[in-house]
Amino acid sequence: MQTVELCRGIILVEGERGGKYPSSNSLLVGEESFILVDTGFSLSPQAVKELKENFRVEAVVNSHCHEDHILMNHLFQDAQICCHRLDAPAVRSVTELNNRYFTPKDRELAKLGEQFLRVLLNLKDSKVDFEFENGYTFNLDVTKMTVLYAPGHSAGHCCFYFPREKVVFLSDYDLTSFGPWYGGTDSSLTETLSSVEKLKSLEAEVAVTSHRKDPIRGHDEILKLIEEYVSKIQEREKQILDALRGRWMSADELADLAIIYRRFPEPKDLFKVSERIMIEKHLEALLEKGKVKKQGDKFTAANDQ
Ligand SMILES: [Zn+2]
């Protein structure tokens, strides 16, 4: 387990393999007793034990309900577990979380999804002791951590800001080259855009995300990376329109092109559902802008595109 002290009272816990899914980076906040932000830093109970021996964790704060952020919650039963009100049901229940990854027509794959979460990742139902809202502040002796409700990635996705230190934890607006993920039925493309836009107005000098190995330092650098990150959305939109030029295709057929994932991780069929849900959100936005036409379940680029 690697930790990096960002400043007094704020410690980054590097997730395994650079925080790549199904791991994610965590934060320890405090001095004598600590808040742990997210519990997916390791898939090994031994690593969790080690962290608990070195840091007295009194509360766990989940940035949102996804498995890679709540994976080890069950090993912190003696701590207070907190998350945003809208993601609490999916932290409490693996079945509820799994339902957010599938639409009713994916019923068969959803069974495989639940198995993936429960058996392969050993994800367990978790308690939630406290549900917070936007602007809630965790007051510690050494620092203050404010909740920035930033939905889009999930319904109750939050970032955390330390105003005095100008440090921000951006959670799954992770500023990786993959770009934003909005593949849940509770995700929203428009909310992702407006949440990320709001994050630009923070006076942050250090940004940490759930899946980037190193902290980002300097306000200009943070802004530059946010711009690059958001531009992925326009890039995807353009690629979808290119694929639909002179051709009628369904969201399923577009998902086969893996425009967003490029290569589906295993289990491929499950990640292809996330791709299709993201494509559907793009198609909805493109329809609204009059850039595509729809007939039955097929889409094509409008003539003047
Ligand atoms: Zn997530």
Side-chain angles (χ1 to χ4, degrees), residues 64 66 69 153 172:
H64 63 298
H66 291 157
H69 301 260
H153 176 77
D172 262 358

Side-chain angles (χ1 to χ4, degrees), residues 124-137:
K124 296 188 182 342
D125 293 349
S126 167
K127 64 168 186 163
V128 176
D129 301 293
F130 175 61
E131 300 175 16
F132 52 72
E133 301 268 356
N134 184 42
Y136 181 82
T137 297

Side-chain angles (χ1 to χ4, degrees), residues 205-302:
E205 289 295 335
V206 179
V208 181
T209 84
S210 294
H211 300 290
R212 256 185 94 99
K213 191 175 181 299
D214 296 314
I216 304 145
R217 293 180 192 276
H219 188 63
D220 291 345
E221 185 63 14
I222 296 168
L223 283 184
K224 189 185 114 209
L225 287 171
I226 292 180
E227 292 294 351
E228 282 175 22
Y229 185 70
V230 181
S231 72
K232 287 276 165 190
I233 293 179
Q234 281 77 43
E235 229 173 82
R236 292 167 183 172
E237 184 174 295
K238 189 179 170 302
Q239 283 172 290
I240 292 168
L241 276 174
D242 283 346
L244 292 177
R245 212 146 277 145
R247 206 177 319 157
W248 288 89
M249 290 177 89
S250 67
D252 264 317
E253 288 164 340
L254 281 163
D256 283 334
L257 303 179
I259 286 171
I260 296 168
Y261 270 95
R262 306 274 165 207
R263 279 181 55 192
F264 294 117
E266 292 293 344
K268 288 194 177 68
D269 287 348
L270 298 186
F271 288 95
K272 206 189 275 183
V273 175
S274 303
E275 171 96 10
R276 193 199 76 226
I277 292 175
M278 286 195 263
I279 296 276
E280 283 168 350
K281 293 185 198 301
H282 276 285
L283 289 170
E284 207 178 296
L286 287 167
L287 258 182
E288 221 165 274
K289 288 190 262 187
K291 292 193 176 183
V292 297
K293 292 186 293 189
K294 185 182 183 190
Q295 226 167 60
D297 67 343
K298 303 252 183 186
F299 297 81
T300 192

Side-chain angles (χ1 to χ4, degrees), residues 63-69 101 153-154 157 171-172 181 211:
S63 61
H64 63 298
C65 61
H66 291 157
E67 60 279 10
D68 47 329
H69 301 260
Y101 290 133
H153 176 77
S154 76
H157 179 272
S171 314
D172 262 358
W181 186 96
H211 300 290

